[in-house]
Amino acid sequence: GILDNTYFIYTSDHGYHLGEFGMPIDKRQPYEFDIRIPMIIRGPNIPANITSKVPALMVDMAPTFLDIAGLPADDLDGLSLLGRVEEERMFLVEYSGEGEDVPSG
């Protein structure tokens, strides 16, 4: 049936602070509730009822989609989420501010 060859991928974005902990309305802070978002993947050869504690990053989405399609992802940042091993992964959360207004024209 259709479930035998269809992948379902659900994710979200980080949302905004709406005054939590006295923080301004924003979403670019390096706190756990800012950098962790839900992601659920279901499809062929995806084991059921598995939860991974290894971070999945948005740069992993394109390599994952290419892996599903059977195509190489040689020059992309990120790693396919399919068949990955449960090992520690390091990543950087960085924010450098709003920048400066540059006059146009």
Side-chain angles (χ1 to χ4, degrees), residues 54-57 59-60 77-79 81 84 87-91:
V54 177
L57 308 176
V59 296
D60 297 332
D77 293 330
L79 305 168
L81 301 175
R84 71 180 190 172
E87 61 185 36
E88 186 174 329
R89 183 173 188 191
M90 305 280 290
F91 63 96

Side-chain angles (χ1 to χ4, degrees), residues 43-79:
N45 302 314
I46 303 290
N49 301 315
I50 299 294
T51 300
S52 174
K53 295 189 183 282
V54 177
L57 308 176
M58 292 308 289
V59 296
D60 297 332
M61 297 307 289
T64 301
F65 297 151
L66 290 170
D67 194 4
I68 288 170
L71 299 171
D74 300 332
D75 295 328
L76 296 177
D77 293 330
L79 305 168

Side-chain angles (χ1 to χ4, degrees), residues 6 11 17-18 27 29 35-36 51-52 56 68-69 86 91 93-94 99:
T6 304
T11 189
H17 294 287
L18 298 175
K27 66 182 208 177
Q29 306 297 326
I35 61 174
R36 295 191 182 274
T51 300
S52 174
I68 288 170
E86 293 290 314
F91 63 96
V93 177
E94 183 176 43

